[in-house]
Amino acid sequence: MPYAQTSFFVEPWLKYKKPIVRQLAFAIASPNILSSIPSELSIAHSFNLHTNEHWQEHYKNYESRLEQLDLDSTELDIFLSKLKSTRLGLRFEMFFWFWLLDDKYHYYKLIEHSIQIIDGPKTVGELDFLIFNNKENRIEHWEVALKYYLAEKDFSLPFWYGLNRSDTFARKLNHFTQKQFQFSHVLEQEISHKFAVMKGQLFLPKYHLNEMHPAWINPARRLGTWGTTILPPSEEFYRLSRQEWICPDLQKTSETARWWTDGLYFQRKNQHHYMYRNTHLLTP
């Protein structure tokens, strides 16, 4: 059946004033872009997804802390200043690291972050987070990813492309199941459950929104659209800065678009994200 997107979204991250706090709130509160593991994915090592309710619960428990940080974000600013890279995925991972260390607000205890698995002279893998779940009394492995994929052709898994043409949804999920979730024992701990925390946004072709869409798209997460044609100026899109891909700032950070380059554009009135791509990038 065609994808039916809800008309109401729970997006509490938009209420915060400071950009860094809005981004932290998005990291915690936003649902996964997947509602289920795609059936077309060949599973080598199984993994799970958290429910939408899981993230809503953790946001509610953390809301008072976010309000404090919105008044004074010094602690968060200092923590994020340790990151020297401009990569959004690493910045996103830092927000989770900060939250997991804030263990007065949840039932997790961070055992270790960024664990390298060494076999002789070779690094055979790396784990983002190894966590003890006090509520369930178990060890969990989380892989955290911030991804933006746009759909082409028949919307099947291999035809969702990221910013880099070689970065496809299929490749990322295959990497999860074949490589990243291959370990069952780490740091003398037996891993009970493995979770992919995969957030960001998916983009559908602007003129194909009513076509059949995969059942694994999470309807709780707002979709964007994409195209290679310039939208009418009356739609008032402006280009988002790099960090605003996580969450747009409260105030506009650029003028309404009069010309277009590759990247993500935003319409504040309708909370609409539009990915503009030059046609030469769409060739295999």
Side-chain angles (χ1 to χ4, degrees), residues 13-29:
W13 50 86
L14 297 175
K15 76 175 187 178
Y16 299 99
K17 295 179 180 179
K18 295 191 175 182
I20 197 169
V21 179
R22 290 165 73 89
Q23 293 169 37
L24 173 60
F26 173 83
I28 306 308

Side-chain angles (χ1 to χ4, degrees), residues 161-228:
Y161 295 92
L163 305 183
N164 186 324
R165 193 66 176 168
S166 63
D167 176 19
T168 67
F169 215 159
R171 181 176 180 178
K172 181 58 181 176
L173 292 176
N174 276 309
H175 189 59
F176 273 151
T177 186
Q178 293 173 13
K179 299 292 184 181
Q180 290 179 283
F181 288 118
Q182 65 178 297
F183 307 104
S184 297
H185 293 83
V186 177
L187 300 180
E188 300 182 350
Q189 305 280 357
E190 182 177 354
I191 296 171
S192 173
H193 285 66
K194 305 171 185 179
F195 289 96
V197 180
M198 203 167 195
K199 303 191 179 187
Q201 195 164 29
L202 300 177
F203 297 83
L204 299 176
K206 184 170 176 60
Y207 299 108
H208 300 275
L209 297 180
N210 295 320
E211 294 184 8
M212 300 286 286
H213 303 133
W216 45 258
I217 294 179
N218 191 346
R221 177 69 184 109
R222 185 186 297 273
L223 291 172
T225 57
W226 75 272
T228 59

Side-chain angles (χ1 to χ4, degrees), residues 27-37 47-58 96 99-100 107-108 129 131-133 135-136 138-145 181 193-199 216 218 220:
I28 306 308
S30 63
N32 282 312
I33 55 179
L34 288 173
S35 60
S36 61
I37 306 297
F47 60 94
N48 302 295
L49 302 167
H50 294 106
T51 64
N52 299 335
E53 292 74 20
H54 170 92
W55 296 116
Q56 291 171 17
E57 174 193 353
H58 282 300
F96 271 93
W99 172 68
L100 285 167
Y107 46 77
Y108 297 116
F129 296 101
I131 297 165
F132 182 72
N133 184 327
K135 182 179 180 181
E136 302 294 338
R138 69 192 187 193
I139 303 294
E140 298 180 357
H141 166 202
W142 289 15
E143 287 296 317
V144 173
F181 288 118
H193 285 66
K194 305 171 185 179
F195 289 96
V197 180
M198 203 167 195
K199 303 191 179 187
W216 45 258
N218 191 346

